[in-house]
Amino acid sequence: MEQLATYHRRRQALYGWLLVSPALILLTLFALSPTVATFWASLHSRGTIRRPSAFSGWDNYADLIADPSFATVVGNNLLYAGVTIPASIVIALAMALWANAKIPLRGVVRGAFFTPTMLPMIAAANIWLFFYTPGLGVIDAVTGLFGLPPVNWLGQPQTALWAVIVVTVWKEAGFFMIFYLAALQTIPPDLREAAAVEGAGRITYTRRVLLPLLMPTTAFIFINALINSVKLIDHLFILTKGGPNNASKLVLYWVWEMAFAYFDAPRAAAMTVLVLLVLGLIAVFQFRVLDRRIHYR
Amino acid sequence: MSKPPFIRLDGVSKSWGGNRGVERVDLAIDEGEFVVLLGPSGCGKSTTLRMIAGLETPDTGRVVIAGRDMTAEPPAARGLSMVFQSYALFPHLTVADNITFGLSVRRVPRRERQDALAKAVSLTGLTGLEGRKPAALSGGQRQRVALARAIVAGHPICLMDEPLSNLDAKLRHAVRQEIRALQRELGMTVVYVTHDQTEAMGMADRVVLMNGGRVEQADTPDALYLHPDTAFVATFLGSPPMVLMPAESVPERLLPPGTPRDDLAGLDIGIRPEAISLAEPAPHRHRATVRDAEFLGAETLVYLTTGTGEAIARLPGRLTIRAGEPVGIDWAPGAATLFERATGKRLSLPPREHRHAEAGASHGGSAPPRAMGATGHPPHFQTETLP
C-alpha cells in the first residue's frame, strides 16, 4: 500500500517537472545562463593575444565607476527615465481620456495617436532627424517664421538629450494610450453618473474614481516605460550616437559601445550586471510595495 | 392638494434622433410620496427618471424641485440621491467609503460622516461589513450598500432605477418591503422605476404607467387596476391581463349598463380574468371552448377560445375541466369596461373621487371623444366587485 502511494507521489512529481520543463529550459538557456556568463565575464580582465583573460575580481567595476563617463551616462539615463516615464504616462492618459470621449472623428483621433507606435523606432528617428535638421528642418522652418535663429537641437550638449527625450515620449505615449483606452472602456459609465449625483465634479471623479481604477494599468505601463527607458536605444544610433560629448549617451548604448566599438567585453559585462541589479531591485519594490496599494478587479 | 408639488415636470420632452424618447410628460409628485414609473422597456420611464436626476437634460419643458427650476442644474445641486440598477458601487472603495463618498466629496467633517455612516449602516443591516470591498459582497449586500449610500446624506429625494432587477425573486420580495419601510421611516420622496408590475403595485402610493414616451395613466395602484383609462393600461396591468373582446360579439346582457347599443362596431369590451365565471353553454352566455387549464394551487387559469379570439378566466381553487369542452362564460355586466378600439381610450369617464388633479398624462384626463347618450345612468358602470 505504501509503495503504491510512493509510486503515485513520484508520478505526480514527474508530471509537475514535465510541465515546468519547457519554461525552465528556455529561461535557463536564454536568460539565466547569459546572466551568469555575463557576471562571470565581468570578473575577468580583458583578454588579448599577449595577455589572456585572467580573473581580476571587482577590478572592472572599480574601473567603471572611476570612469568619468560613468557618472555622465548614469545621470543621463536617470534624467531620461525621470522625464520620459511620467511624461509618456501623463500624455497617454490625457490622449486616452480624449479619445474615449464622445467626440467627432473619434476613429481618426485614435488612429493619429496610435500611428507613432506602428513605426519602427529607426524610422521614427529618421523622421525626427528631419524635424531637427538645423536650418532646413520642420522645427527651424516654424521658428524661422517668427524670426528666431536656427538651432542645432541634436548637435549641442544642452539640448541633445532633451531632443532624444521628446522623440521617445512621442513614440511611447501612443502605445500606452491603447492600454489606457482599453482600461477606460471597462469602467462602467454608471460610476461617473453615481459620482455626479453624489456631488463629484469632473476633477474629483477623475482623482477619486478614475485614477484609482486605472492604477493596475498605470502600474503595467510604468513597468513597460521603465524597461523601455533602459532598453530602447535604437533612435540614438540615428539621432546622436550618444554625443555630443556623451551628452545624450544612455547606459545600454554605452554598454554596446564598450562591447562592440571598443571591444572591452568585461567592462560592458560589469555595466550590464549593474543595470540588472538596479532593475531587479525595482522589480522587488514593485511586487512588495506597489502591488499592495493597487486595487485589482 | 393645497401644497405645491415637491417635484414637478412641465411638458418635458427628450428624444434621440426621433426615437425612444419622452414626449411632453407632465408629472407632479408630492413630498413623501412613493411614485413608481412603470412601463414596458423603451417607454421612457428611465429617461424620465434621469431627467429628474439631472443626468439628462430635457429638450423642452421644465423640471421643478421644491419650487426651484432645476432644469439646467447639475445632479449634485438638486438635493437627491440615486440607486442604480447596477448599484454603481466604486469597486476600489470599501463599503464605508462607498457609503460616505458623497459626504467626503462635499467635505462634511469626519465626525458627522462617521455618525451618518453608523446610522445608514444600521438602517440597512450592513453592520460588520464596513471594511469590505464590493467584490466581497453578495448581490443583496451590494444592493444594501447602494441603498445606504442613497440615504446617508439625508437627501429628501431618492431616485431608484430598477434597483431590484439584479436580485433573485425571494430576496426581491423582502427588499421591496424594506425599501418601503425605510422610505416611510425617513419620509423620503421616492421615484422608482420598474418594469415589474408587482413591484409597482406593491410599493407605490401612485403608479405612473408610461407607454411610448407618454404617460398613459397616473393613479393609485387600485384605481389603475380597477379603472384603467386605456386599453393599454388594462392589458399591461394584471397577470393574466384583462381580456379584450369585440363588444358586438358578446351577448347584450353582458354589456355594461349604459352601453350605446346602436354603435358597438368600434368598441372592445374588457373583463378581468378573475371576474369571469364559467357555466354550461347557454344563449345568454358568451360561448367559448376550453383550450387548456393550468392549476396553480390557489387558483386555476382556464385558457379559452371564443369566436373572436382568446380569453383567460381565473377561477379560485381547483377545477376539473377538459380541453375541448364547450362552456358558457359569464360576468357581472358592471365588471366590464368598454374601450374605443381605434384610440384605445375608455368609453366614458365617470367622475371618480380619488383621481389626482394634475396627475394625468398630457392626454390622460381628456374628455371622452364620444358623449354618452344617457346621462341618467348610474355614474359609473364599473362596480367595485373585483378583489
Side-chain angles (χ1 to χ4, degrees):
Chain A
M1 236 15 231
E2 208 157 283
Q3 256 185 333
L4 193 65
T6 315
Y7 170 72
H8 271 291
R9 208 165 46 238
R10 284 198 182 146
R11 255 181 71 114
Q12 285 291 324
L14 184 66
Y15 188 50
W17 280 108
L18 281 174
L19 286 176
V20 172
S21 58
L24 208 58
I25 290 168
L26 288 176
L27 283 175
T28 310
L29 214 56
F30 295 111
L32 210 57
S33 70
T35 310
V36 173
T38 304
F39 181 60
W40 187 247
S42 75
L43 298 179
H44 289 74
S45 67
R46 182 181 175 185
T48 57
I49 299 170
R50 278 219 217 135
R51 278 191 299 172
S53 169
F55 184 81
S56 62
W58 303 105
D59 283 2
N60 283 320
Y61 292 87
D63 283 357
L64 199 63
I65 292 166
D67 188 335
S69 300
F70 178 82
T72 313
V73 169
V74 168
N76 281 348
N77 218 139
L78 286 178
L79 179 68
Y80 180 77
V83 175
T84 57
I85 295 171
S88 54
I89 287 179
V90 168
I91 292 172
L93 182 59
M95 291 197 298
L97 287 172
W98 189 25
N100 194 45
K102 288 185 184 116
I103 49 166
L105 298 175
R106 187 157 71 162
V108 176
V109 168
R110 288 183 186 181
F113 287 163
F114 193 57
T115 308
T117 305
M118 295 188 293
L119 292 173
M121 195 55 171
I122 298 290
N126 274 302
I127 293 172
W128 278 89
L129 197 59
F130 167 65
F131 287 177
Y132 284 138
T133 311
L136 299 168
V138 172
I139 294 173
D140 276 356
V142 173
T143 53
L145 290 179
F146 299 99
L148 297 168
V151 178
N152 187 0
W153 298 99
L154 293 168
Q156 49 191 17
Q158 308 92 290
T159 55
L161 185 60
W162 290 98
V164 171
I165 285 173
V166 167
V167 176
T168 309
V169 171
W170 175 84
K171 181 83 172 73
E172 292 200 311
F175 183 52
F176 296 151
M177 176 202 71
I178 295 297
F179 295 106
Y180 271 132
L181 205 51
L184 280 174
Q185 279 165 5
T186 66
I187 295 177
D190 282 4
L191 293 185
R192 158 165 260 148
E193 295 183 344
V197 171
E198 296 291 332
R202 184 191 293 254
I203 292 168
T204 315
Y205 169 74
T206 304
R207 191 171 59 82
R208 298 187 59 161
V209 179
L210 209 53
L211 292 183
L213 289 179
L214 289 175
M215 266 315 279
T217 312
T218 306
F220 173 79
I221 290 174
F222 174 79
I223 294 299
N224 268 283
L226 186 70
I227 292 168
N228 281 349
S229 73
V230 175
K231 79 166 195 195
L232 197 66
I233 52 159
D234 308 16
H235 49 328
L236 286 187
F237 288 90
I238 304 293
L239 293 174
T240 62
K241 299 198 191 311
N245 190 22
N246 283 350
S248 65
K249 195 167 282 177
L250 301 178
V251 167
L252 192 58
Y253 190 89
W254 196 41
V255 169
W256 176 86
E257 223 175 35
M258 285 190 284
F260 298 106
Y262 308 141
F263 298 105
D264 192 351
R267 267 182 71 177
M271 191 65 212
T272 308
V273 169
L274 289 181
V275 170
L276 283 177
L277 198 67
V278 171
L279 288 182
L281 287 176
I282 292 171
V284 169
F285 175 76
Q286 142 91 4
F287 284 125
R288 289 279 167 85
V289 182
L290 277 185
D291 266 12
R292 285 206 199 135
R293 294 159 172 262
I294 295 173
H295 168 79
Y296 288 100
R297 263 181 285 189
Chain B
M1 299 297 300
S2 55
K3 256 173 59 174
F6 195 49
I7 304 173
R8 203 175 78 230
L9 301 185
D10 286 341
V12 162
S13 298
K14 175 88 188 174
S15 67
W16 289 275
N19 55 343
R20 273 185 65 105
V22 168
E23 279 177 64
R24 296 198 308 283
V25 165
D26 297 308
L27 197 62
I29 296 165
D30 290 330
E31 192 158 13
E33 202 177 10
F34 197 115
V35 170
V36 173
L37 304 181
L38 176 68
S41 48
C43 72
K45 55 191 189 301
S46 280
T47 307
T48 307
L49 188 80
R50 291 168 60 80
M51 286 192 288
I52 298 174
L55 295 171
E56 306 281 356
T57 313
D59 297 337
T60 62
R62 294 196 314 150
V63 178
V64 180
I65 296 172
R68 278 185 57 202
D69 187 344
M70 292 285 191
T71 317
E73 296 294 321
R78 301 184 179 207
L80 46 79
S81 54
M82 188 157 173
V83 178
F84 290 81
Q85 182 174 3
S86 64
Y87 313 141
L89 301 179
F90 304 116
H92 60 294
L93 298 179
T94 61
V95 167
D97 289 343
N98 259 293
I99 294 173
T100 56
F101 180 83
L103 297 180
S104 69
V105 165
R106 294 189 165 99
R107 301 190 192 285
V108 172
R110 171 174 286 273
R111 170 127 240 135
E112 248 172 83
R113 227 155 60 198
Q114 292 301 331
D115 293 347
L117 172 69
K119 195 175 159 221
V121 160
S122 76
L123 272 173
T124 49
L126 284 167
T127 312
L129 301 175
E130 293 93 332
R132 292 216 198 154
K133 297 251 174 93
L137 299 177
S138 71
Q141 288 167 337
R142 284 180 211 175
Q143 211 276 338
R144 282 158 194 277
V145 177
L147 213 55
R149 188 172 67 185
I151 62 171
V152 74
H155 290 309
I157 300 171
C158 183
L159 308 177
M160 302 193 184
D161 190 2
E162 311 221 13
L164 305 186
S165 58
N166 289 338
L167 300 180
D168 60 76
K170 214 171 168 183
L171 205 54
R172 207 178 294 177
H173 190 81
V175 177
R176 214 157 80 190
Q177 297 183 329
E178 283 173 32
I179 290 180
R180 195 66 231 257
L182 210 57
Q183 180 259 340
R184 288 217 181 92
E185 188 176 337
L186 301 175
M188 287 187 298
T189 308
V190 172
V191 185
Y192 185 108
V193 162
T194 183
H195 62 264
D196 181 345
Q197 52 168 302
T198 55
E199 258 172 51
M201 300 296 272
M203 298 172 89
D205 291 325
R206 201 147 55 90
V207 176
V208 177
L209 184 53
M210 297 187 68
N211 183 33
R214 293 164 179 277
V215 175
E216 285 277 334
Q217 191 175 353
D219 219 327
T220 56
D222 54 331
L224 217 60
Y225 190 79
L226 298 171
H227 311 291
D229 274 347
T230 65
F232 175 83
V233 177
T235 51
F236 188 85
L237 286 180
S239 168
M242 186 180 264
V243 176
L244 286 184
M245 295 183 273
E248 68 229 326
S249 72
V250 171
E252 219 165 86
R253 187 185 68 83
L254 295 174
L255 292 172
T259 309
R261 312 274 155 155
D262 50 329
D263 187 18
L264 290 174
L267 299 180
D268 275 333
I269 183 166
I271 311 102
R272 288 279 171 207
E274 60 268 28
I276 295 177
S277 59
L278 299 185
E280 292 295 313
H284 64 278
R285 296 192 179 118
H286 193 44
R287 299 173 70 80
T289 319
V290 175
R291 188 163 57 79
D292 201 1
E294 273 175 8
F295 172 60
L296 299 176
E299 62 197 14
T300 306
L301 297 182
V302 183
Y303 296 87
L304 304 157
T305 310
T306 64
T308 52
E310 310 261 300
I312 304 175
R314 181 181 189 169
L315 301 157
R318 183 161 185 205
L319 256 72
T320 44
I321 201 157
R322 280 194 319 274
E325 205 173 316
V327 289
I329 60 180
D330 213 344
W331 58 82
T337 314
L338 286 173
F339 297 99
E340 278 204 321
R341 195 173 302 142
T343 59
K345 282 181 189 161
R346 185 161 56 119
L347 195 65
S348 128
L349 287 169
R352 283 208 313 274
E353 59 290 343
H354 49 269
R355 279 182 59 81
H356 272 261
E358 65 270 65
S362 51
H363 64 284
S366 60
R370 183 190 305 259
M372 288 290 287
T375 45
H377 281 292
H380 66 255
F381 39 73
Q382 293 89 354
T383 49
E384 314 260 343
T385 55
L386 300 177

